[in-house]
């Protein structure tokens, strides 16, 4: 026993005086093994606990607390009682002892033999002797609330306030009995409302004003018991001249109203309405106005939840009468500025509930519709129409009950009359508003009868065919698309046949064979009609009617039966593509595209390619380029089924059996046609489908041959893209590796031969295969990219190689993207950069002077595509090269580098700050560049540099302002505009 006591005293001495924290663990082990007890430890700590030095006493208490954390499970109830008394007494000691005391009390709370009432005793001691916030059990009731209020009172540290607000929020949400301390809890928290806090620079704690606002708002709006205190406070704060205080007050009001009932608001309704009306009528801030309107909606919604009894007052109607009294008469004053504020207030109240909608619309709609009928000035009629439109949209947001009558049903005829009258006007603004109103009416059940829909379709069709204003046409097309989704039959029966008739009509000619001025209008009408056919084709039933019209345009253009321009044929293809993008992916639409549209497109392309001396528009590059997205979009979005196998059979074996016309010779060698006739029939259909492509090995072999031997750019580019797309999705294995190695060997052989006529073709294949492998992280990608780096020194291909890095790092629109089901790994750009940036720098340093621009352009193309975070991280190592790139005479290098630098300059890293002199000098030199795009980009960089608010840029201010005088007189308006903005910043 003596030995154990000596050991205990030694451990205590080494921990307290020797500051050896590891001895606490040894002491706890001794207690667990029974060498000594906790009470013996307390006795051994006697000299330390009674020392005159606070830090010695603190070390003694710390040792005891750390041992208790390891051994609390062995304590008896009597021991726990003694230790609680000891710790409660220690709370009255020096403040440096408080942390280990709290640590010990925390350990004791884990004991299963905690004496009854001891938790309450500990909490009372904490509230009495410690000025901190704590979390407790609800059993303490109002005593805990009182203790919390005392502890929080006067707190100023934002860290403690954030914790205090969270504790207060939990007190409320967990149903603590606030009792007579309700007002005290509100006062001790609301004294911080509205929050006015600006975190210090480089705040290590990261506490923001928004966090404090959010937590305080959760407290103040957490219980209706605060209503009698909070609402007067909000009304008071809304009188403030501080915009942030107004905004916080309005947002807090909106939040609390979701918790309140009408009885909580009764005595404050008039004051709240007065404040909200003032904020909307007199505000100079859109945010304040929006917050005020949202608060009014929440207030009206709260009153709408009240249950009406036969002897109770209708608080909602009383409040809305107040609103109507102050706002309704302004709706008759079209020339005064309070029309729209009043309308917005009424619309905000209207959108709150179905009952509110009934009350407000019954009061205002008759007057608005009478004014529309009586007024003749277009601006007044447009304003009235816009106000009515907003009411229709407000009513839409208030969801009715199943048995409720539709709010606007009583005004149905008058609303239809208004919208059709406006559509017949010649004023563009009135017509645009009318199309929006027609869309809103159609989206509410019962407001448009079948006869109204047919009349609407007639109006829209007439506008499509005759209206030449671009804005009106766009609005009409959008409206037609929205209505066709809801009422497809009307468009199938009325609009599509009429549009088809006009599309296939010919412009008028004079006897002298000169075209009358209407030819341009006729062309514009065709363009609008083709766009409208696409817009209305969202339902499968409409698609089956509209797409044959578009295909007939292509067929008629090919045969020459109707004179269509190349631009009109391209528009027809674009409409087909848009339909493929927007239509629902169903079995019916998939069948329409894969069994009907795609075969006819391929058939038309083949017919055009097989006609000798043919002047068909379908052989034009722009038309063929427009056909390709139709096929690729259809195959990537709409259930492909057997299209892939049919396409392979067509391209490899000339199987035209699935094509609709018999005019195509069977067993046509399609790939040979592509090369011989320089025709672009890109087989993207095969590299965008999700299903497995049959006979892929043979197909890849022929595509490789075509890409390397074809002399025309369009076919060999197409073949390289398709080859890369298939390669990207090919399953991993020996065949893939051998195919890639064979392709690399062939490409390198051509590229290494300066006299080879196929160098450009080989380079094109190299770029696309490298991209395909880069996206999927294939290990053989490095071989191809290394070859690309070596080509930067090539006399002929160097500039093309530099541009090739932009293709590697960019998203591809037609192949090798996720929508085409390509294998695209995350962060492939960052991986490529990290693996190759050093090679680029080394190559630049070793390159002769005349080849250095290629390296600079390659670097700029790579860095420009990286995420900003990566740019900032990697900038220090590349800064010297980027500054060198700004001095490069190649304008493409300059523009790419400026685009890369602009986002970084807003928050420049230290490495860039150290190079400000060189940076500013180069930027100022570029504002006189002969290229307008470079001048604009350099001015944007100069403006971004000022946005960084660095004090280091101040010495350059006078110099920059002098230099900016020149672009202020630039002959190009866009340059002058950028110069004005940059000068204003500086």
């Amino acid at each position: 026993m003596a030995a154990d006591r000596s050991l205990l005293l030694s451990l205590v001495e080494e921990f307290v005086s020797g500051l050896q924290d590891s001895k606490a663990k040894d002491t706890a082990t001794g207690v667990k093994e029974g060498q000594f007890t906790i009470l013996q430890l307390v006795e051994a700590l006697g000299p330390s606990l009674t020392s005159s030095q606070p830090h010695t006493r603190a070390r003694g208490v710390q040792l005891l607390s750390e041992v208790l954390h390891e051994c609390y499970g062995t304590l008896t109830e009597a021991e726990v009682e003694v230790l609680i008394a000891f710790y409660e007494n220690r709370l009255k000691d020096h403040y440096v002892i408080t942390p280990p005391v709290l640590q010990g009390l925390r350990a004791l709370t884990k004991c299963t033999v905690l004496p009854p009432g001891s938790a309450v005793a500990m909490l009372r001691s904490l509230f009495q002797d410690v000025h901190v916030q704590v979390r407790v059990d609800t059993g303490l009731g109002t005593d805990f609330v009182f203790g919390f209020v005392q502890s929080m009172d006067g707190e100023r540290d934002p860290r403690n306030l954030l914790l205090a607000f969270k504790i207060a929020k939990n007190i409320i949400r967990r149903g603590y009995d606030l009792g007579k301390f309700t007002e005290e809890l509100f006062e001790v928290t609301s004294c911080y409302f509205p929050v006015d806090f600006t975190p210090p620079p480089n705040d290590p704690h990261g506490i923001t004003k928004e966090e404090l606002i959010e937590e305080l708002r959760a407290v103040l709006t957490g219980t209706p018991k605060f209503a009698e205190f909070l609402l007067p406070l909000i009304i008071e704060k809304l009188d403030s001249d501080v915009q942030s205080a107004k905004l916080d007050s309005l947002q807090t009001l909106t939040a609390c109203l979701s918790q309140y009932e009408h009885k909580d608001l009764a005595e404050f309704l008039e004051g709240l309405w007065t404040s909200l009306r003032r904020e909307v009528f007199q505000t100079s801030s859109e945010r304040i106005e929006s917050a005020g309107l949202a608060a009014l909606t929440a207030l009206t919604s709260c009153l709408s939840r009240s249950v009406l009894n036969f002897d109770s007052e209708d608080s909602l109607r009383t409040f809305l009468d107040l609103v109507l009294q102050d706002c309704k008469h302004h709706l008759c004053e079209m020339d005064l500025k309070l029309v729209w504020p009043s309308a917005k207030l009424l619309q905000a109240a209207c959108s709150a509930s179905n009952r509110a909608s009934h009350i407000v619309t019954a009061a205002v709609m008759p007057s608005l519709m009478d004014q529309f009928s009586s007024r003749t000035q277009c601006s007044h009629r447009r304003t009235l129409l816009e106000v009515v439109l907003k009411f229709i949209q407000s009513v839409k947001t208030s969801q009715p009950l199943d048995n409720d009558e539709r709010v606007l049903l009583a005004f149905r005829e008058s609303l239809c009359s208004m919208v059709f009258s406006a559509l017949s006007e010649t004023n563009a603004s009135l017509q645009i508003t009318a199309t929006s109103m027609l869309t809103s009416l159609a989206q509410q059940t019962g407001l448009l009868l079948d006869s109204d829909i047919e009349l609407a379709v007639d109006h829209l069709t007439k506008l499509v065919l005759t209206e030449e204003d671009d804005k009106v046409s766009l609005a009409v097309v959008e409206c037609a698309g929205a209505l066709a989704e809801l009422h497809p039959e009307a468009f199938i029966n009325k609009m599509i046949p009429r549009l088809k008739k006009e599309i296939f009509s010919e412009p008028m000619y004079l006897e002298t064979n000169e075209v009358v001025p209407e030819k341009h209008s006729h062309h514009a009408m065709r363009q609008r009609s083709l766009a409208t056919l696409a817009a209305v084709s969202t339902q499968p039933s409409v698609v089956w009617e509209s797409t044959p019209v578009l295909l007939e345009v292509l067929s008629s253009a090919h045969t020459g039966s109707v004179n269509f321009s190349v631009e009109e044929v391209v528009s027809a293809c674009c409409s087909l593509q848009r339909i493929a993008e927007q239509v629902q992916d169903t079995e019916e639409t998939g069948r329409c595209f894969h069994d009907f549209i795609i075969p006819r497109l391929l058939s038309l392309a083949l017919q055009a390619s097989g006609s000798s001396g043919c002047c068909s528009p379908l052989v034009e590059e722009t038309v063929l380029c427009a056909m390709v997205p139709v096929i690729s979009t259809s195959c990537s979005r709409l259930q492909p089924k057997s299209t892939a196998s049919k396409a392979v059979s067509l391209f490899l074996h000339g199987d035209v059996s699935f094509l609709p016309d018999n005019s195509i010779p069977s067993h046509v060698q399609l790939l040979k046609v592509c090369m011989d006739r320089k025709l672009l029939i890109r087989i993207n259909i095969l590299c965008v489908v999700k299903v497995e492509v049959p006979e892929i090995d043979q197909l890849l072999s022929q595509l490789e041959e075509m890409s390397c031997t074809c002399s025309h750019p369009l076919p060999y580019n197409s073949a390289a893209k398709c080859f890369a797309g298939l390669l990207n999705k090919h399953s991993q294995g020996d065949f893939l590796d051998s195919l890639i190695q064979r392709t690399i060997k062939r490409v390198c052989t051509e590229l290494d031969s300066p006299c080879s006529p196929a160098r450009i073709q080989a380079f094109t294949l190299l770029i696309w295969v490298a991209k395909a492998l880069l996206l999927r992280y294939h290990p053989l990608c490095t071989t191809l990219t290394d070859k690309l780096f070596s080509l930067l020194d090539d006399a002929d291909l160097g500039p093309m190689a530099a541009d090739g890095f932009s293709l590697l790092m960019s998203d591809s629109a037609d192949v090798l993207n996720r929508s085409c089901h390509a294998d695209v790994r995350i962060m492939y750009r960052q991986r490529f950069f990290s693996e190759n940036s050093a090679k680029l720098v080394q190559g630049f340093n070793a390159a002769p002077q005349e080849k250095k621009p290629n390296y600079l352009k390659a670097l700029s193309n790579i860095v420009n595509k990286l995420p900003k975070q990566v740019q900032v991280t990697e900038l220090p190592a590349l800064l010297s090269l980027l500054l060198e790139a700004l001095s490069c005479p190649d304008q493409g290098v300059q523009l790419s580098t400026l685009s890369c630098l602009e986002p970084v300059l807003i928050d420049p890293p230290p490495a860039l700050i150290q190079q400000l002199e060189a940076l500013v000098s180069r930027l100022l030199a570029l504002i006189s560049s002969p290229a307008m795009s470079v001048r604009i980009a350099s001015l944007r960089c100069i403006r971004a540099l000022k946005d960084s608010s660095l004090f280091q840029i101040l010495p350059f201010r006078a110099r920059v302002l002098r230099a900016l005088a020149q672009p202020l007189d630039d002959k190009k308006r866009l340059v002058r505009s950028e110069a004005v903005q940059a000068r204003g910043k500086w």
Side-chain angles (χ1 to χ4, degrees):
M1 292 296 293
D4 291 341
R5 179 172 176 76
S6 299
L7 174 61
L8 178 58
L9 292 173
S10 174
L11 291 171
V12 169
E13 178 66 21
E14 290 174 352
F15 182 89
V16 175
S17 302
L19 302 179
Q20 299 184 36
D21 292 346
S22 62
K23 299 302 177 183
K25 187 174 182 180
D26 295 339
T27 306
T29 301
V31 173
K32 289 178 181 178
E33 294 177 354
Q35 291 179 277
F36 28 81
T37 66
I38 291 291
L39 295 182
Q40 287 173 336
L41 174 60
V42 173
E43 292 175 1
L45 285 169
S48 302
L49 299 176
T50 57
S51 170
S52 60
Q53 297 297 320
H55 289 284
T56 302
R57 299 199 299 275
R59 288 291 290 181
V61 176
Q62 182 182 350
L63 175 59
L64 176 60
S65 297
E66 291 188 16
V67 172
L68 286 177
H69 264 286
E70 299 288 335
C71 307
Y72 62 85
T74 63
L75 297 175
T76 65
E77 184 175 328
E79 289 174 326
V80 172
E81 191 171 0
V82 171
L83 288 168
I84 288 175
F86 164 75
Y87 277 118
E88 287 177 348
N89 184 266
R90 292 294 94 189
L91 284 173
K92 299 178 174 61
D93 204 338
H94 195 275
Y95 70 88
V96 301
I97 303 173
T98 301
V101 171
L102 295 177
Q103 186 181 9
L105 286 173
R106 181 184 174 192
L108 292 176
T109 59
K110 300 177 182 179
C111 294
T112 57
V113 292
L114 197 66
S118 57
V120 175
M122 282 191 285
L123 289 171
R124 283 178 175 153
S125 297
L126 289 171
F127 284 132
Q128 181 177 347
D129 299 316
V130 182
H131 298 291
V132 295
Q133 290 74 45
V134 296
R135 299 179 65 159
V136 298
D137 185 72
T138 58
L140 193 56
T142 56
D143 287 347
F144 170 67
V145 177
F146 177 68
F148 172 75
V149 170
Q150 281 189 316
S151 300
M152 183 179 172
D153 192 19
E155 183 58 67
R156 297 178 62 84
D157 190 310
R159 294 169 295 175
N160 292 341
L161 282 176
L162 190 61
L163 179 59
F165 293 156
K166 290 179 179 179
I167 293 172
K169 177 178 68 177
N170 287 333
I171 289 174
I172 294 169
R173 289 184 176 178
R174 295 180 182 181
Y176 283 59
D177 182 12
L178 304 183
K180 59 185 178 180
F181 300 115
T182 302
E183 185 173 1
E184 282 76 7
L185 180 60
F186 176 81
E187 291 295 337
V188 80
T189 52
S190 64
C191 65
Y192 301 99
F193 178 82
V195 172
D196 182 16
F197 168 70
T198 302
N202 303 318
D203 180 18
H205 307 294
I207 295 176
T208 64
K209 180 178 180 179
E210 289 70 26
E211 285 181 298
L212 292 170
I213 289 174
E214 183 180 343
E215 292 299 335
L216 177 57
R217 185 176 295 157
V219 176
L220 299 180
T221 63
T223 173
K225 296 177 182 178
F226 285 166
E228 60 178 307
F229 314 117
L230 177 60
L231 296 176
L233 177 64
I234 289 177
I235 293 173
E236 175 191 339
K237 297 300 182 183
L238 285 174
D239 287 331
S240 170
D241 294 330
V242 181
Q243 295 292 302
S244 61
K246 286 179 179 287
L247 185 62
D248 194 358
S249 299
L250 290 168
Q251 291 173 342
T252 302
L253 176 60
T254 303
C256 74
L257 289 169
S258 63
Q259 306 289 329
Y260 292 179
E261 297 180 8
H262 70 98
K263 59 182 174 54
D264 301 317
L265 307 173
E267 62 178 297
F268 307 106
L269 282 177
E270 189 170 347
L272 287 170
W273 163 241
T274 301
S275 297
L276 293 175
R277 180 190 61 196
R278 181 185 66 246
E279 294 310 319
V280 176
F281 275 3
Q282 302 176 8
T283 186
S284 58
S285 165
E286 290 186 8
R287 292 187 68 194
I288 299 293
E289 181 187 68
S290 298
L293 295 172
L296 178 59
T297 301
L299 178 58
T300 309
S301 179
C302 177
L303 296 174
S304 300
R305 294 194 295 268
S306 59
V307 179
L308 292 178
N309 298 319
F310 69 93
D311 59 346
S312 65
E313 180 185 11
D314 187 349
S315 56
L316 174 63
R317 185 171 290 277
T318 302
F319 177 70
L320 290 179
D321 286 344
L322 194 62
V323 177
L324 288 164
Q325 177 184 337
D326 289 343
C327 296
K328 180 181 175 182
H329 63 280
H330 291 303
L331 299 182
C332 300
E333 302 164 346
M334 289 292 106
D335 292 320
L336 300 181
K337 65 179 183 179
L338 292 181
V339 173
W340 271 113
S342 299
K344 288 178 181 179
L345 287 166
L346 289 168
Q347 289 153 5
C350 184
S351 66
S353 69
N354 190 250
R355 195 154 66 95
S357 295
H358 275 285
I359 295 172
V360 174
T361 54
V364 302
M365 290 296 282
S367 171
L368 292 172
M369 291 185 288
D370 288 344
Q371 288 187 77
F372 184 83
S373 301
S374 62
R375 293 184 181 268
T376 57
Q377 191 170 334
C378 281
S379 60
H380 291 169
R381 287 166 65 82
R382 185 187 70 246
T383 300
L384 286 163
L385 201 65
E386 289 173 346
V387 171
V388 172
L389 169 62
K390 294 297 182 182
F391 273 110
I392 294 172
Q393 293 171 343
S394 299
V395 168
K396 181 185 174 185
T397 62
S398 59
Q399 297 296 329
L401 299 176
D402 292 339
N403 297 325
D404 277 356
E405 182 184 352
R406 290 281 169 180
V407 174
L408 297 173
L409 203 55
F411 311 108
R412 189 194 67 76
E413 291 186 8
S414 298
L415 289 171
C416 290
S417 176
M418 284 181 71
V419 74
F420 294 141
S421 172
L423 285 173
S424 303
E425 297 276 357
T426 57
N427 181 271
S429 299
L430 204 57
Q431 290 174 319
I432 291 171
T433 306
T435 59
S436 299
M437 183 171 169
L438 180 58
T439 301
S440 295
L441 289 174
Q443 290 171 343
Q444 295 196 41
T445 306
L447 294 186
L448 292 181
L449 303 178
D450 290 343
S451 58
D452 299 322
I453 295 296
E454 292 181 357
L455 184 56
V457 173
D458 288 339
H459 276 285
L460 294 175
T461 304
K462 180 181 178 182
L463 288 171
V464 169
L465 296 175
T466 61
E467 183 54 60
E468 296 188 357
D469 185 285
D470 291 339
K471 292 182 179 179
V472 176
S473 297
L474 180 62
V476 169
V477 170
E478 290 179 354
C479 178
L483 264 66
E485 190 169 5
L486 301 170
H487 306 281
E489 288 302 319
F491 286 83
I492 292 172
N493 296 328
K494 297 182 74 67
M495 177 177 275
I496 293 178
R498 178 75 187 281
L499 293 182
K500 178 181 179 180
K501 177 182 177 183
E502 296 299 330
I503 288 172
F504 287 93
S505 66
E506 294 281 5
M508 295 176 59
Y509 287 85
L510 297 176
E511 292 182 358
T512 58
N513 292 328
E514 293 183 1
V515 183
V516 297
E518 281 75 11
K519 180 178 180 181
H520 175 73
S521 298
H522 190 268
H523 169 73
M525 178 274 295
R526 279 180 170 175
Q527 296 282 51
R528 292 193 302 271
S529 299
L530 293 171
T532 305
L533 286 175
V536 301
S537 301
T538 53
Q539 296 288 355
S541 58
V542 181
V543 172
W544 277 105
E545 300 297 327
S546 63
T547 52
V549 178
L550 296 171
L551 288 171
E552 190 174 343
V553 170
L554 302 181
S555 177
S556 300
H558 169 61
T559 60
S561 60
V562 180
N563 184 27
F564 286 103
S565 68
V566 170
E567 187 178 0
E568 290 164 353
V569 176
V570 169
S571 295
C573 293
C574 292
S575 293
L576 285 170
Q577 182 191 357
R578 181 180 173 186
I579 295 172
E581 289 174 341
Q582 70 189 16
V583 74
Q584 298 175 3
D585 182 14
T586 65
E587 183 179 355
E588 185 177 0
T589 54
R591 190 171 65 252
C592 176
F593 273 87
H594 293 289
D595 295 348
F596 175 67
I597 295 173
I598 292 177
R600 277 158 179 76
L601 283 177
L602 292 173
S603 176
L604 287 170
L606 287 172
Q607 289 177 39
S609 69
S611 302
S612 58
C614 176
C615 57
S616 168
L618 270 62
V619 299
E620 295 289 335
E621 177 184 340
T622 53
V623 175
L624 291 165
C625 286
M627 276 189 182
V628 171
V630 181
I631 299 175
S632 59
T633 303
S634 305
C635 292
S636 61
R637 277 201 72 243
L638 307 173
Q639 308 170 15
K641 298 184 178 178
S642 59
T643 302
S645 60
K646 292 178 181 177
V648 171
S649 183
L650 170 65
F651 289 116
L652 292 182
H653 310 302
D655 182 5
V656 297
S657 60
F658 76 103
L659 300 182
D661 297 314
N662 296 322
S663 58
I664 303 169
S666 68
H667 303 295
V668 61
Q669 294 182 336
L670 185 57
L671 295 180
K672 187 174 186 305
V673 169
C674 291
M675 292 186 286
D676 292 346
R677 298 186 178 271
K678 301 181 180 179
L679 178 66
L680 175 66
I681 303 178
R682 289 159 60 173
I683 45 180
N684 297 56
I685 187 173
L686 301 175
C687 58
V688 300
V689 293
K690 196 173 183 179
V691 298
E692 184 176 348
V693 177
E695 300 185 75
I696 189 171
D697 301 345
Q698 183 182 352
L699 182 62
L700 285 169
S701 178
Q702 292 204 24
L703 286 171
E704 180 189 340
E705 183 66 22
M706 178 180 174
S707 63
C708 290
T709 58
C710 183
S711 59
H712 196 274
L714 299 178
Y716 71 65
N717 267 291
S718 177
K721 282 187 177 184
C722 192
F723 182 85
L726 293 171
L727 205 64
N728 171 265
K729 292 187 287 187
H730 199 289
S731 56
Q732 192 70 35
D734 294 337
F735 173 79
L736 177 63
D737 293 342
S738 63
L739 175 64
I740 296 171
Q741 289 169 351
R742 185 188 72 197
T743 304
I744 292 174
K745 182 178 179 180
R746 180 169 187 175
V747 165
C748 292
T749 300
E750 298 290 348
L751 292 174
D752 292 340
S753 176
C755 300
S756 171
R759 290 192 85 205
I760 300 296
Q761 293 91 321
F763 175 80
T764 303
L765 185 60
L766 166 72
I767 286 288
W768 282 105
V769 173
K771 184 174 181 67
L773 301 183
L774 173 65
L775 294 180
R776 63 179 290 176
Y777 290 171
H778 195 282
L780 289 176
C781 174
T782 305
T783 306
L784 291 167
T785 53
D786 286 347
K787 183 62 179 178
L788 187 59
F789 278 116
S790 70
L791 290 174
L792 291 172
D793 290 323
D794 189 279
D796 298 321
L797 298 179
M800 292 180 62
D803 291 331
F805 285 98
S806 177
L807 190 150
L808 278 185
M809 303 293 282
S810 303
D811 292 324
S812 176
D814 47 1
V815 294
L816 294 177
N817 58 60
R818 288 188 173 89
S819 65
C820 294
H821 312 292
D823 184 358
V824 182
R825 307 296 176 90
I826 61 172
M827 299 174 63
Y828 73 90
R829 295 181 180 90
Q830 292 91 314
R831 176 171 177 169
F832 176 79
F833 177 80
S834 63
E835 292 177 351
N836 294 284
S837 58
K839 298 177 186 177
L840 198 58
V841 174
Q842 292 169 3
F844 173 82
N845 293 331
Q849 189 63 36
E850 67 273 12
K851 299 296 189 301
K852 288 185 183 293
N854 294 337
Y855 285 89
L856 294 174
K857 191 169 188 179
L859 172 67
S860 184
N861 285 333
I862 294 172
V863 176
N864 200 31
K865 302 299 181 182
L866 293 175
K868 183 189 173 187
Q869 297 84 350
V870 181
Q871 290 180 358
V872 172
T873 305
E874 301 295 341
L875 193 63
L878 302 173
L879 187 57
S880 59
L881 266 69
L882 291 173
L883 292 176
E884 184 78 20
L886 292 179
S887 303
C888 178
D890 189 313
Q891 292 175 356
V893 175
Q894 295 172 353
L895 186 60
S896 182
T897 306
L898 289 168
S899 301
C900 168
L901 284 174
E902 183 185 350
V904 180
L905 290 176
I906 298 175
D907 185 18
L912 189 57
I913 297 173
Q914 296 172 4
Q915 298 281 346
L916 279 178
E917 173 65 38
L919 175 64
V920 172
S921 299
R922 285 167 170 79
L923 290 177
L924 294 180
L926 290 175
I927 63 177
S928 58
S929 168
M932 182 183 73
S933 57
V934 175
R935 299 201 299 275
I936 290 174
S938 60
L939 287 168
R940 287 175 177 170
C941 287
I942 292 171
R943 185 180 67 186
L945 188 60
K946 184 62 180 72
D947 286 337
S948 66
S949 302
L950 291 172
F951 70 88
Q952 292 93 336
I953 67 173
L954 294 178
F956 301 99
R957 183 173 181 271
R959 178 180 166 192
V960 170
L961 290 176
R962 284 195 303 271
L964 289 175
Q966 177 184 350
L968 288 174
D969 293 328
D970 196 281
K971 62 182 179 181
K972 295 295 185 180
R973 180 182 59 82
L974 294 177
V975 177
R976 296 197 300 272
S977 175
E978 290 294 340
V980 167
Q981 294 183 55
R983 185 177 174 86
K985 288 288 185 180
W986 281 83

